Amino acid sequence: MTSPDEFREHVRAWCVANIPTDWRATQTGASEAEFVAFQKAWFAELHAAGFAVPHWPAEWGGGMPVDEQIVLYSELAAHDAPRLVLAFVGIHHAASTLLVAGTDEQRRRHLPAILDGEIWVQGFSEPEAGSDLASLRTTARREGDTFVVDGQKLWASGGLHADWCLLLARTDPGAPKRDGISYFLMDMTSPGVEVRPIRNAVGDSHFCEIFLDGVEIPAANLIGTENQGWQVAQATLGAERGMTMLELTERLANAGFRRLVQACSPITDARVADRLAQFEIEIAGLRGLCRDLVLSHDTGGVGAADASVVKLFYSELLQRMTDFGAEIGGLAAHTTLVKPASSGWESGAWVLDFIGSWEWTIPGGASEIQRTIIAERGLGLPREPSSV
């Protein structure tokens, strides 16, 4: 068993030897094919080192203690490692769903494939079902051993390159909103699946629309019980949020804040120093919350609103930090029109990062939804009246 200091030194040495020093230059303005090839190669490097899925159970290639995961993510961020953009849904959301609610056959089929580079997309949101996800209209009707799916999904990040999709569809139109939804694994090469990229405000096209026209999904690809997909989605993705936030928070603390301090270094105004000190305090608090959430998840002690607290704190802190970076960057920051394709929301291209930060206050439950969850489930306040 290695000591914490020995593990940190091991990770640092690996970072120095393996993180490509020119990745920012090569990924700035990269084509879709270049981006995909780089992402798959980088994932393979991390997997070979045992760093790709540290949060998975040991039997599936993970088993790293939480303390070591924190060290790993902090060192990767400190050494400016690229983000696993394409693999993110697969190693977090898909894996969590399979581990908690999948069958043995589904786990054997997909978990090793994810480690071999299988790309996943999340097919949850729809044009009229975003924060109110239970209003989704995509339907799946059973015909023998097959479900036939019709509908549309929106804001599907990475959908253009995905091999498989985590899909929510309504299987009982007559049931109350949350009671008639089922959870599926959908092969993106199935006939009737059409993916259209959406160009966003910063010029990226990682968001996609997915159109489903008579798509057949084998009943063997149903996750959990028919009509109980809402419960599966809440149980698996809510618990997993702590793991994803652990990595993102370390990147914000190590990479994002460091770049912000560097951008402010020529400025001697005391007000700037005060803002930096406030950000540092907030980051320390966020890191503590993330650590507690992950540890509580391991011991089964996660509170009903804990994940919402962390998500809300992170997304709005990210927004404030990138806003301040854009302010400090001045006119020069507004002339940066592209950032590295494999970077995160704290790349240092401040205006683009700030625009992108608004994404985080919307998906996974908008900030208003998170506040409602915190109020009702965390603080026990009266529920808001329903219009339905």
Side-chain angles (χ1 to χ4, degrees), residues 13 92 101 169 233 260 274 331:
H92 290 295
L260 185 59
D274 286 344
L331 291 176

Side-chain angles (χ1 to χ4, degrees), residues 57-190:
E59 64 183 294
W60 294 107
M64 185 180 292
V66 172
D67 286 346
E68 291 188 0
Q69 290 184 50
I70 294 171
V71 170
L72 172 63
Y73 291 135
S74 66
E75 290 298 328
L76 287 172
H79 287 83
D80 196 30
R83 279 196 67 241
L84 290 176
V85 180
L86 278 184
F88 190 83
V89 173
I91 64 177
H92 290 295
H93 300 150
S96 176
T97 301
L98 290 164
L99 289 166
V100 173
T103 65
D104 289 340
E105 182 179 351
Q106 289 168 343
R107 285 190 283 267
R108 287 193 298 268
R109 161 64 182 85
H110 289 291
L111 291 177
I114 290 171
L115 292 178
D116 287 337
E118 187 174 80
I119 304 302
W120 285 72
V121 64
Q122 187 170 300
F124 281 20
S125 296
E126 299 184 4
E128 296 184 24
S131 293
D132 184 15
L133 182 59
S135 296
L136 64 86
R137 298 180 178 180
T138 294
T139 60
R141 67 180 186 278
R142 186 154 194 165
E143 296 184 357
D145 292 332
T146 301
F147 287 87
V148 180
V149 183
D150 293 281
Q152 178 185 355
K153 296 296 177 177
L154 193 60
W155 313 126
S157 297
L160 192 62
H161 309 297
D163 303 303
W164 284 81
C165 175
L166 299 172
L167 183 76
L168 290 182
R170 190 165 300 284
T171 42
D172 185 355
K177 289 200 305 184
R178 291 173 175 78
D179 295 339
I181 296 172
S182 295
Y183 199 127
F184 299 95
L185 309 177
M186 182 181 72
D187 186 342
M188 290 292 285
T189 64
S190 303

Side-chain angles (χ1 to χ4, degrees), residues 297-320:
H297 177 259
D298 285 350
T299 59
V302 178
D306 289 357
S308 292
V309 171
V310 171
K311 195 269 185 181
L312 179 66
F313 195 168
Y314 169 83
S315 61
E316 298 198 349
L317 176 56
L318 173 68
Q319 196 171 73
R320 292 193 300 275

